[in-house]
Amino acid sequence: MTEAHQEHEEHAEPQEPRERRGGLRGWSAARRAVSSGLRFTSLRLRLVVVFGLVALTAAVSASGIAYWLNREAVLTRAQDAALADFEREMQNHASTLPLHPSEEQLALAARQMTDDGRLFSVLLIAEDADGKAVRGSSGTSALDGFTLQDVPASLRKAVDKQQPITSNNKDAYHLYWQRVIDEDKPYLVGGAKVIGGGPTGYMLKSLEPEAKDLNSLAWSLGIATGLALVGAALLAQAAATTVLKPVHRLGIAARRLGEGKLDTRLRVSGTDELADLSRTFNRAAESLEKKVDDMSAREEASRRFVADMSHELRTPLTAITAVTEVLEDELDAEDGGLEPMIEQAVRLVVSETRRLNDLVENLMEVTRFDAGTARLVLDDVDIADQITACIDARAWLDAVELDAERGIMARLDPRRLDVILANLIGNALKHGGSPVRVVVREEDSALVIEVQDNGPGIPEDVLPHVFDRFYKASASRPRSEGSGLGLSIALENAHIHGGEITAANAPKGGAVFTLRLPRDASALIAEDTEGTAASENTDGARGNGTEGNGG
């Protein structure tokens, strides 16, 4: 009789169940965080996704390992029990058959081997006295039709192969088995040969009950994985809310701080890193508020000083101007009432007095802009007529070329437009030379005026600073004929209209200043009126803008 030896053949593994993964979404804890919580780039969603992926990886790994271990245990237990029964029955019945049994004897022995409710089918093969192969099947109802074709060729070859007798191998034939899949159903096929010239026996056992148990286990593990994923998402949401709520409040406080509400503070509770961050924010906000208040106080004092100085200078300048006008009349007298040496000094005094008057007026205008008291007085203006009047009043008709159609109307402040044009054209004549070309065109609802001179242009390093107050292109020449405020005042007058002035160099040479103004500035006056009323309602009533931020 054969000894029990087993060799494991390769067999098909049941396919792992696939988990259905849906898209993850963060639930918002606060109404203001709803939109940010749905964005893929939001920290809330990323936390939920990361928690979910970690939980999914852990659950799938644990489930896979548990399934594989249980699968091997279940199949091994079932297969060992079946092979042990088959080996015992071969010893009890197949080994007692004659050397050349008949087909009826083989069938009887096969049926006896499957008695007592054993759930496998047996096929016995031997040779009769005439050397003809005869077969006998147990005919088990559960596995009717078990034939030699159901046995893999590799298993038949292994069963029929005679092994050499050695010190480690005392039997010429061994018991072999193999798992097979037939029509998506798993089976265990085993075979052995009776040593010393007996029949060859094969057994077939269905592993479908074990496969059903394993499928139930896989579904249970899949459900557990899904529940773990949902739990991880809920935990991630709770963690995200705990972390992001203080961060969200910090973001609101930072925005309020950026809007100029420097009294914004965060409520601090706890001792963790978020609480430390809140304390740092409060200290930074407090320091910033103090510095801004100090700077505002110094700026206010400086502005008040300039305004007071300008007003104080106007009184003596009025008297000086009256005297210089009298002296200027003497210069223009036909009888030459002044001596030549005195005449030169008088002309210098007249020139410097006018320059001082212009400087004082410019300083007062700048003070009004800084204080926010500059207001528009609108009127319907024909742009061509306005430019012509500006040029004619300053005797620039021979030095300026005007390209503007009459009838281009705009609702602007005529006085401030005249200041802009006078500064731009005067600057072009002073630094670029004549002829200066002024071009007017319309773009949608905007008015565009270009002033181009005939000079060498503006150096590239000077170009970004042409509108800065008191800026001098050459540090070695701090004193010039102008005050350094003309272009700055022109830009402020453009801004108060809702417009802009840009400076550039023309491709063919010369500087080009482009003024863009809206055709109608009435809307700006309405907005300015509403802003002033709101400012008066809230002035001096700054509340304690404290944002809650738990640590």
Side-chain angles (χ1 to χ4, degrees):
M1 187 60 203
T2 63
E3 293 293 332
H5 290 273
Q6 301 179 2
E7 292 190 5
H8 193 318
E9 300 288 337
E10 294 293 330
H11 56 281
E13 298 287 342
Q15 187 176 5
E16 296 286 345
R18 294 184 179 178
E19 299 298 330
R20 300 173 58 187
R21 299 195 307 178
L24 298 176
R25 245 182 216 183
W27 298 279
S28 174
R31 290 178 296 176
R32 296 181 180 179
V34 171
S35 60
S36 62
L38 298 179
R39 292 198 309 269
F40 181 74
T41 55
S42 70
L43 184 58
R44 180 184 299 275
L45 183 58
R46 280 183 286 174
L47 282 173
V48 173
V49 170
V50 169
F51 269 72
L53 290 177
V54 171
L56 183 63
T57 302
V60 168
S61 301
S63 299
I65 293 174
Y67 177 81
W68 182 79
L69 293 176
N70 282 274
R71 177 182 179 279
E72 288 301 314
V74 170
L75 293 179
T76 300
R77 184 169 57 251
Q79 115 188 344
D80 289 348
L83 291 174
D85 288 344
F86 175 67
E87 182 183 18
R88 184 173 56 254
E89 295 303 319
M90 285 287 291
Q91 290 176 347
N92 295 336
H93 297 90
S95 62
T96 62
L97 291 172
L99 184 61
H100 298 288
S102 65
E103 186 172 339
E104 290 76 8
Q105 290 175 327
L106 291 176
L108 177 61
R111 285 194 295 271
Q112 290 176 347
M113 292 175 63
T114 56
D115 287 344
D116 299 332
R118 294 180 178 86
L119 299 178
F120 56 80
S121 181
V122 174
L123 176 65
L124 297 177
I125 302 174
E127 291 184 358
D128 60 9
D130 299 330
K132 181 180 178 181
V134 292
R135 302 174 184 176
S137 175
S138 62
T140 304
S141 59
L143 298 171
D144 286 338
F146 178 41
T147 64
L148 190 60
Q149 286 72 26
D150 295 327
V151 181
S154 59
L155 181 62
R156 293 199 302 253
K157 183 178 179 181
V159 171
D160 293 336
K161 184 177 180 180
Q162 184 175 0
Q163 303 292 334
I165 303 298
T166 64
S167 59
N168 295 326
N169 182 33
K170 299 180 180 181
D171 298 306
Y173 298 99
H174 301 281
L175 173 65
Y176 295 92
W177 60 270
Q178 186 175 344
R179 297 176 196 167
V180 297
I181 302 294
D182 185 17
E183 296 181 355
D184 296 331
K185 295 181 180 180
Y187 294 92
L188 174 67
V189 181
K193 189 176 183 68
V194 176
I195 300 175
T200 301
Y202 295 100
M203 59 87 67
L204 178 69
K205 174 179 175 55
S206 174
L207 298 177
E208 189 173 1
E210 288 76 9
K212 290 181 179 179
D213 292 340
L214 292 174
N215 287 336
S216 299
L217 175 63
W219 276 107
S220 300
L221 293 175
I223 293 173
T225 300
L227 293 177
L229 193 61
V230 173
L234 294 175
L235 290 175
Q237 171 62 22
T241 301
T242 303
V243 174
L244 294 182
K245 189 174 182 180
V247 174
H248 178 67
R249 289 174 175 172
L250 181 62
I252 294 177
R255 283 194 294 271
R256 289 170 57 90
L257 198 66
E259 292 170 357
K261 300 174 182 178
L262 302 180
D263 57 346
T264 302
R265 298 293 184 271
L266 291 169
R267 287 196 302 270
V268 181
S269 61
T271 57
D272 57 9
E273 289 80 359
L274 290 173
D276 291 339
L277 180 61
S278 300
R279 293 187 186 94
T280 303
F281 176 86
N282 288 342
R283 287 194 295 268
E286 184 178 357
S287 176
L288 180 62
E289 182 180 20
K290 184 177 183 302
K291 290 182 179 180
V292 170
D293 289 342
D294 292 343
M295 292 176 61
S296 298
R298 288 195 296 268
E299 183 181 0
E300 179 63 27
S302 176
R303 187 164 52 244
R304 188 181 300 110
F305 169 76
V306 173
D308 294 343
M309 181 190 68
S310 301
H311 283 286
E312 291 296 330
L313 287 175
R314 293 192 70 178
T315 301
L317 274 176
T318 302
I320 295 173
T321 302
V323 173
T324 55
E325 288 176 354
V326 174
L327 293 176
E328 193 173 11
D329 291 339
E330 291 292 332
L331 290 175
D332 296 335
E334 295 181 357
D335 57 356
L338 297 176
E339 297 180 1
M341 294 183 63
I342 298 178
E343 179 181 350
Q344 183 178 0
V346 169
R347 292 187 183 278
L348 179 60
V349 171
V350 170
S351 174
E352 291 299 320
T353 301
R354 288 176 177 172
R355 182 174 178 276
L356 186 57
N357 267 314
D358 292 339
L359 177 60
V360 171
E361 290 297 329
N362 287 339
L363 287 174
M364 294 186 66
E365 186 73 2
V366 167
T367 303
R368 283 191 287 269
F369 282 121
D370 290 343
T373 58
R375 296 291 181 266
L376 292 175
V377 181
L378 300 182
D379 196 3
D380 294 324
V381 178
D382 186 305
I383 301 302
D385 291 344
Q386 180 72 22
I387 298 175
T388 302
C390 174
I391 296 172
D392 185 36
R394 294 163 178 83
W396 292 338
L397 288 175
D398 295 337
V400 178
E401 297 177 358
L402 177 60
D403 182 5
E405 296 181 1
R406 294 189 178 277
I408 300 178
M409 303 298 294
R411 186 163 182 76
L412 304 169
D413 188 325
R415 184 185 70 83
R416 297 190 181 278
L417 178 59
D418 181 78
V419 171
I420 297 173
L421 295 171
N423 278 295
L424 294 181
I425 298 174
N427 184 76
L429 290 172
K430 184 185 301 181
H431 299 287
S434 60
V436 172
R437 181 174 174 79
V438 180
V439 180
V440 180
R441 66 176 186 274
E442 298 177 87
E443 291 182 359
D444 298 331
S445 60
L447 178 69
V448 179
I449 302 175
E450 289 185 354
V451 179
Q452 180 175 355
D453 60 38
N454 198 32
I458 305 173
E460 292 298 327
D461 60 330
V462 176
L463 203 55
H465 306 285
V466 292
F467 296 105
D468 294 350
R469 295 178 183 178
F470 303 108
Y471 178 77
K472 303 294 182 180
S474 176
S476 62
R477 299 178 57 192
R479 175 177 172 82
S480 63
E481 295 181 3
S483 63
L485 293 172
L487 291 179
S488 175
I489 291 175
L491 183 63
E492 293 289 352
N493 279 298
H495 286 168
I496 200 174
H497 280 91
E500 186 60 67
I501 304 177
T502 57
N505 289 315
K508 296 182 180 180
V512 180
F513 286 84
T514 304
L515 169 65
R516 287 180 173 83
L517 296 175
R519 295 287 298 273
D520 190 351
S522 301
L524 294 173
I525 292 184
E527 293 177 2
D528 185 61
T529 303
E530 294 176 359
T532 301
S535 176
E536 291 175 353
N537 291 334
T538 59
D539 185 27
R542 292 197 308 173
N544 185 14
T546 303
E547 291 291 335
N549 191 14

